[in-house]
């Protein structure tokens, strides 16, 4: 699994639960090291062993843990760069949702060897959407659920999100109801604010 | 056919940085994004070439020439600060006027900051937002790669350093000494080489144990470093064997004094966990000038011969290599 994904988990755990927790989990998972390199690729096995160790250590179901990871990726100051890249997707939350169809291509433009599963937005009605997360990365739809929730806050939109399950093609489905697109102020996004 | 107002409206949607010009080069309408760049000064009514400086094509200085030329591509700059550069495309109108569609080109990175532009300022088909996205994404990826490279470089330097270092004493090892000697010989440098052997070291090892022996080696290394200059080389090339190389030094009196000081300091008893370790040292010195072949092996051998002489004279002695002795061995 790509180092960026592993590094994201490391960053989330260290920022949220502390470095001690991270070190214990790397030991239980028998990684043999404690720091992931963002630009190297690791065995998928290692990442899932680590996830199991973390969830056991924190006594939390994997889905919940991964949803929190998704929220962290958007809302934590450590991840401002990533939040900005996502905000380039659109001026409104709905535009952003539509840009998710291109997300895996956008990601590959930036980091050629980071392959994320395809996403597909289905517009059921003007305020009802389904996001279809194609298979390829276990737990991806959980991360996306947390991420979409945090992005709604970022845009100031009021949205209800639930993971409704997996269809017969192995596609995870997230259902969304947009209650109000301008519910709150949202966070600022300045195109020219690159650091 | 559209009238000018309808045309302006259409252009405003499709290319929000257009200017619509009269036959004499006066701006009749300007697109909303272009006007935003000079929000305090309405562009309509002003001459295009008063607002913009034509950078290319260079030969053209008047609007009339511009319209007469075949050139359709322009490169312009604002005449006032900030002097943002823009690219332009000219399309003449049947009534003698023209439409010029302007765009940022590469200056977009500064422009979004200078003018606080938002996605709404670009037309839906403009790739500006994608470009900005790519610049940020690529910079972030590049930064991550760069920091990985720095860490790998650090690890490589540390590994190389280790490969040239005797890990017990921190002195150079045999490999490093060979490199340095090779370098001195090939650059025909003047230098002196001492071969130093610790006396009674085996006894310390046997009687007081390896830990005491290791301690003695570290202490001896420290003393040798203290008694030499920074650009001299001190290497441990065997269990209790050391080589010291003095660059640019050929003065026998100076070398004699260094050797005596080394021996006298190494002879002072060392304390290891309450036990006294007593050693001494024998030294043989060869000068680069004594070895016409300038072969590293010959120089090491000469210092070895001198060391043998020193040992024959009893412990704690220093001898210079003497060319005549060679035949004797």
């Amino acid at each position: 699994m790509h180092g960026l994904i592993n590094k994201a988990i490391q960053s989330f755990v260290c920022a949220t639960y502390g470095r001690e927790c991270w070190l214990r989990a790397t030991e239980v998972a028998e990684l043999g090291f404690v720091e992931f390199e963002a630009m190297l690729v690791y065995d998928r096995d290692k990442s899932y062993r680590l996830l199991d160790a973390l969830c056991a250590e924190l006594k939390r179901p994997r889905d919940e843990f991964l949803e929190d990871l998704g929220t962290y990726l958007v809302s934590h100051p450590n991840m401002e760069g990533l939040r900005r890249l996502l905000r380039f997707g659109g001026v409104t939350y709905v535009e952003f949702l539509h840009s998710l169809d291109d997300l895996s291509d956008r990601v590959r433009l930036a980091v050629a060897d980071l392959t994320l599963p395809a996403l597909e937005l289905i517009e059921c009605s003007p305020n009802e959407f389904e996001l279809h997360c194609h298979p390829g990365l276990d737990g991806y739809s959980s991360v996306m659920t947390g991420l979409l929730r945090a992005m709604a806050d970022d845009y100031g939109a009021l949205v209800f999100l639930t993971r409704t399950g997996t269809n017969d093609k192995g596609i995870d489905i997230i259902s969304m109801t947009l209650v109000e697109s301008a519910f709150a102020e949202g966070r600022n996004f300045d195109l020219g604010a690159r650091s | 056919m559209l009238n000018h107002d309808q045309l302006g409206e259409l252009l405003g949607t499709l290319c929000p940085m257009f200017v619509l010009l009269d036959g004499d080069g006066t701006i009749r309408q300007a697109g909303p994004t272009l006007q935003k760049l000079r929000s305090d000064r309405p562009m309509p009514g002003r001459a295009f070439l008063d607002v913009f400086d034509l950078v290319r094509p260079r030969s053209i200085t008047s609007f009339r020439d511009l319209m007469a030329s075949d050139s359709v591509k322009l490169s312009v700059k604002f005449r006032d600060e900030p002097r943002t550069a823009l690219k332009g495309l000219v399309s003449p109108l049947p009534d003698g006027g023209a439409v010029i569609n302007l765009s940022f080109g590469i200056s977009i990175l500064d422009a979004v900051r200078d003018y606080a532009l938002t996605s709404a300022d670009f037309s839906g088909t403009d790739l500006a937002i994608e470009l900005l996205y790519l610049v940020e994404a690529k910079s972030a990826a590049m930064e991550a790669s760069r920091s990985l490279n720095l860490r790998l470089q650090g690890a490589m330097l540390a590994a190389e350093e280790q490969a040239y270092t005797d890990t017990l004493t921190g002195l150079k090892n045999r490999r490093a000494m060979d490199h340095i000697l090779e370098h001195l010989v090939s650059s025909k440098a003047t230098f002196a080489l001492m071969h130093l052997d610790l006396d009674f070291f085996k006894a310390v090892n046997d009687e007081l144990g390896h830990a005491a022996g290791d301690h003695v080696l570290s202490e001896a290394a420290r003393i040798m470093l203290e008694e030499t200059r920074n650009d001299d080389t001190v290497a441990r090339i065997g269990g209790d064997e050391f080589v010291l190389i003095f660059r640019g030094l050929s003065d026998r009196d100076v070398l004699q004094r260094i050797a005596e000081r080394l021996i006298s300091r190494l002879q002072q008893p060392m304390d290891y966990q309450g036990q006294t370790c007593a050693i001494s040292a024998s030294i043989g010195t060869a000068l680069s000038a004594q070895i016409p072949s300038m072969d590293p092996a010959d120089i090491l051998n000469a210092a070895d011969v001198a060391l043998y002489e020193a040992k024959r004279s009893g412990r704690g002695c220093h001898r210079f290599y003497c060319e005549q002795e060679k035949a004797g061995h």
Side-chain angles (χ1 to χ4, degrees), chain A residues 149-173:
Chain A
R149 232 176 239 141
M151 282 305 280
D153 288 347
D154 211 83
Y155 278 100
L158 182 60
V159 179
F160 290 125
L161 277 153
T162 38
R163 283 194 308 120
T164 38
T166 310
N167 72 11
D168 51 0
K169 288 178 190 140
I171 294 173
D172 287 338
I173 297 168

Side-chain angles (χ1 to χ4, degrees), chain B residues 263-324:
Chain B
I263 292 168
S264 113
R265 284 197 61 187
L266 289 168
Q267 277 177 343
Q268 282 163 26
M270 298 171 189
D271 179 74
Y272 178 72
Q273 296 186 343
Q275 289 171 305
T276 303
C277 314
I279 56 163
S280 180
S282 302
I283 304 177
T285 301
L287 305 176
S288 57
Q290 291 178 299
I291 315 297
S293 71
M294 281 300 263
D295 182 332
D298 290 346
I299 295 170
L300 281 170
N301 190 48
D304 216 28
V305 169
L307 174 63
Y308 182 81
E309 275 307 309
K311 290 222 174 212
R312 265 196 359 174
S313 317
R315 307 294 156 136
C317 287
H318 169 236
R319 288 289 178 271
F320 281 102
Y321 171 64
C322 173
E323 285 90 329
Q324 285 77 40

Side-chain angles (χ1 to χ4, degrees), chain A residues 119-172:
Chain A
L119 297 171
E120 204 179 341
L121 188 78
I122 313 286
E123 205 169 354
C124 310
S125 82
N127 346 315
E128 286 175 312
F129 305 88
E130 277 183 7
L131 186 69
H132 289 196
C133 304
H134 287 247
L137 185 60
D138 266 4
Y140 189 49
S141 64
S142 304
V143 177
M144 282 308 294
T145 305
L147 185 145
L148 291 175
R149 232 176 239 141
M151 282 305 280
D153 288 347
D154 211 83
Y155 278 100
L158 182 60
V159 179
F160 290 125
L161 277 153
T162 38
R163 283 194 308 120
T164 38
T166 310
N167 72 11
D168 51 0
K169 288 178 190 140
I171 294 173
D172 287 338

Side-chain angles (χ1 to χ4, degrees), chain B residues 20-202:
Chain B
L20 185 58
L21 304 180
D22 274 346
D24 62 356
T26 306
I27 298 174
R28 185 192 279 266
Q29 287 189 54
T33 302
L34 186 65
Q35 183 62 67
K36 187 175 176 179
L37 307 188
R38 289 294 181 274
S39 50
D40 52 341
R41 223 175 145 191
M43 291 184 186
R46 300 174 64 199
F48 179 74
L49 290 178
D50 283 350
V51 182
F52 297 101
D53 187 8
L54 196 59
V55 182
R56 270 172 211 288
R58 277 179 197 284
S59 52
I60 292 174
T61 52
S62 74
F63 183 71
R64 191 189 307 256
D65 293 348
L66 180 63
M67 294 290 31
S69 84
D70 298 335
S71 170
V72 290
K73 281 188 179 176
L74 301 181
S75 187
V76 299
K77 269 187 174 174
F78 274 103
R79 287 197 181 272
D80 57 341
E81 298 292 331
R83 303 200 63 207
T84 307
L86 301 171
K87 303 198 307 181
L89 201 57
V90 188
S91 178
L93 291 173
D95 66 1
V99 175
I100 302 182
N101 186 22
L102 295 167
S103 113
F104 287 108
I106 205 71
S107 70
I108 184 138
L109 296 177
D110 296 324
V112 286
R113 188 158 28 190
D114 290 350
Y115 303 112
L117 299 176
T118 70
S119 307
D121 293 319
F122 298 97
S123 101
T125 52
D126 194 325
L127 290 175
I129 305 301
E130 279 75 8
L131 177 75
L132 293 171
Y133 161 79
L134 259 188
V135 168
E136 280 202 27
K138 280 289 178 196
S139 308
M142 183 66 92
E143 185 52 36
S145 290
R146 211 181 63 88
S147 90
L148 171 61
N149 285 346
L150 282 177
R151 279 196 295 282
L152 291 181
Q153 190 187 25
M156 189 184 77
L157 287 178
E160 265 178 16
E161 185 68 17
Q162 259 169 25
Y164 283 115
T165 304
D166 173 51
T167 45
L168 174 63
T169 59
L171 297 178
K172 301 269 189 298
N173 61 16
R174 171 95 208 198
R175 227 160 74 88
M177 191 272 294
D178 283 340
H179 269 280
I180 291 164
L181 194 53
E182 192 67 49
H183 173 73
L184 286 172
V185 163
S186 64
S187 62
K188 300 193 169 28
T190 300
F191 61 94
L193 186 146
M194 281 185 186
H195 192 170
L196 185 152
D197 215 15
L198 295 184
D199 300 322
F200 314 120
F201 175 71
K202 193 170 176 302

